[in-house]
Amino acid sequence: MDKIQHKHIKVNNINMHVAEIGDGPAVLFLHGFPELWYTWRHQMLFISSKGYRAIAPDLRGFGDTEAPPSSTSYTAFHIVGDLVCLLDSLGLDQVYLVAHDWGAIIAWYVCLFRPDRIKALVNMSVVYHPRNPLIKPVEQMRQFYGDDFYICRFQEIGWEEEFAKVDTKKLLASFYFKRKPYPPKMPRDYANSFNPPPYTLPSWFTEQDLDYFASKYRANGFTGPFNYYRCFDLNWELCTAWTGSKIAVPVKFIVGDIDLMYNIPGTKEYIHGGGFKEAVPQLEQVVVMEGVGHFINQEKPQEINNHIYDFITKF
């Protein structure tokens, strides 16, 4: 880990923290929530040992990357713009893209807006759904899960203050080590009702790992990450011109069978019934890992390392 280099790069009018190691063809890693560049530590070391250049930024509003104050500064266009500027700053015309969770959502947008910059994509957890012109995303989620669904609750300005009342390590542990694939619900008095059992570290996570994530979220808060969720409907409005668009890069998709995202009603049928392949014509492989939860690249690092390497070596 001490061989990973860290720097700040000015991109799209913000200062972005970037972790990097290795030389050779570039692989860009995009993290999710509540994560950071650090989620890719295992993949970065492995990929760099195979002759690749591993690059993992803290995305806008996360970790040591600048967090603009306005919630409307976190649209897909802002985030993809940051990444295109990052590639330009590093002198990279094209990269392999690897992503998870919110990073997966952003990766789909990168492939929609700038497929010319991507050689191939390994995406995890979140499938690509073409834009539904009939209903806004948050409205649809509210209909399915109610106001207490975590994404609906995150829409409320000031909700981060409720999070701040909860011990950060316990809060993050409740996310990372969750094994039941049911929709997270957060009542309005979440801080008072938050009472998880004491966490037990799984074999794939250390106290040092948890301390690192907690230190960054304790220092920087949750406003930046929450603003991604607050732009769901704004992205829907801004992307009208991409209605019906398909993903035009080679893709490998990986998900755990006890991942919440895999167990959303209709998702399994969409993935295995042909809908996903129709929206992503160059979908070459879908991997469903048994007994694996949401934070798949940390839970099964060596398997994910091999999946990434086996796929990108084809291109």
Side-chain angles (χ1 to χ4, degrees):
M1 288 290 288
D2 58 357
K3 294 181 180 179
I4 296 177
Q5 298 179 343
H6 298 266
K7 55 189 172 185
H8 279 82
I9 300 175
K10 190 78 170 182
V11 299
N12 201 16
N13 206 35
I14 65 167
N15 285 310
M16 173 174 276
H17 167 244
V18 181
E20 185 175 346
I21 184 172
D23 295 298
V27 183
L28 178 63
F29 294 90
L30 306 182
H31 67 79
F33 171 83
E35 298 178 273
L36 303 163
W37 75 269
Y38 188 86
T39 189
W40 299 111
R41 58 198 178 280
H42 305 296
Q43 287 72 43
M44 293 182 73
L45 296 177
F46 176 82
I47 287 297
S48 63
S49 74
K50 295 294 186 179
Y52 289 85
R53 179 183 181 184
I55 302 164
D58 282 335
L59 295 176
R60 170 181 293 235
F62 283 85
D64 293 323
T65 290
E66 192 173 341
S70 173
S71 63
T72 59
S73 296
Y74 292 80
T75 70
F77 291 99
H78 289 90
I79 313 304
V80 173
D82 295 345
L83 298 172
V84 171
C85 289
L86 174 62
L87 299 187
D88 290 345
S89 296
L90 297 175
L92 299 170
D93 292 329
Q94 281 194 318
V95 294
Y96 299 103
L97 191 58
V98 178
H100 170 258
D101 188 74
W102 251 109
I105 298 174
I106 296 303
W108 295 127
Y109 280 122
V110 172
C111 293
L112 275 182
F113 302 159
R114 294 303 304 270
D116 58 304
R117 307 302 294 264
I118 305 303
K119 295 178 183 178
L121 166 64
V122 178
N123 228 359
M124 298 174 221
S125 284
V126 184
V127 297
Y128 172 67
H129 279 289
R131 180 182 180 274
N132 182 352
L134 301 179
I135 188 169
K136 293 182 178 182
V138 176
E139 181 182 345
Q140 188 172 38
M141 294 175 201
R142 213 177 290 277
Q143 289 180 5
F144 265 85
Y145 301 114
D147 292 338
D148 286 350
F149 184 53
Y150 76 108
I151 292 176
C152 299
R153 192 61 74 195
F154 288 176
Q155 303 303 310
E156 300 175 15
I157 301 300
W159 184 253
E160 45 270 58
E161 296 171 7
E162 191 72 12
F163 258 44
K165 298 175 185 177
V166 178
D167 179 82
T168 305
K169 283 183 71 170
K170 292 180 180 178
L171 178 66
L172 293 177
S174 72
F175 276 92
Y176 298 153
F177 310 147
K178 175 182 170 69
R179 305 301 293 171
K180 298 179 180 178
Y182 54 78
K185 298 292 185 76
M186 295 183 175
R188 191 172 293 278
D189 62 342
Y190 178 69
N192 290 327
S193 61
F194 180 81
N195 188 30
Y199 66 83
T200 300
L201 288 169
S203 61
W204 48 271
F205 213 86
T206 69
E207 196 72 35
Q208 181 181 3
D209 296 334
L210 188 57
D211 284 339
Y212 182 85
F213 284 113
S215 68
K216 296 301 180 182
Y217 278 97
R218 198 177 290 121
N220 302 309
F222 289 87
T223 299
F226 283 3
N227 284 336
Y228 284 66
Y229 295 92
R230 292 166 182 159
C231 283
F232 260 126
D233 284 353
L234 182 53
N235 286 332
W236 180 86
E237 294 176 9
L238 293 172
C239 289
T240 302
W242 282 269
T243 301
S245 294
K246 300 182 179 184
I247 300 298
V249 303
V251 174
K252 181 176 192 172
F253 181 75
I254 312 172
V255 67
D257 68 350
I258 56 172
D259 188 331
L260 161 68
M261 304 309 298
Y262 185 60
N263 289 277
I264 291 175
T267 298
K268 293 177 185 177
E269 294 79 4
Y270 175 70
I271 291 175
H272 303 294
F276 192 22
K277 176 68 172 177
E278 183 177 348
V280 186
Q282 296 185 64
L283 178 65
E284 297 198 6
Q285 188 178 6
V286 171
V287 178
V288 181
M289 298 180 67
E290 294 185 6
V292 181
H294 181 64
F295 296 93
I296 189 167
N297 56 299
Q298 298 190 79
E299 183 175 345
K300 294 292 183 181
Q302 193 55 55
E303 291 91 333
I304 294 300
N305 292 346
N306 291 334
H307 280 303
I308 293 169
Y309 181 68
D310 289 347
F311 191 63
I312 66 176
T313 52
K314 295 180 179 181
F315 306 95

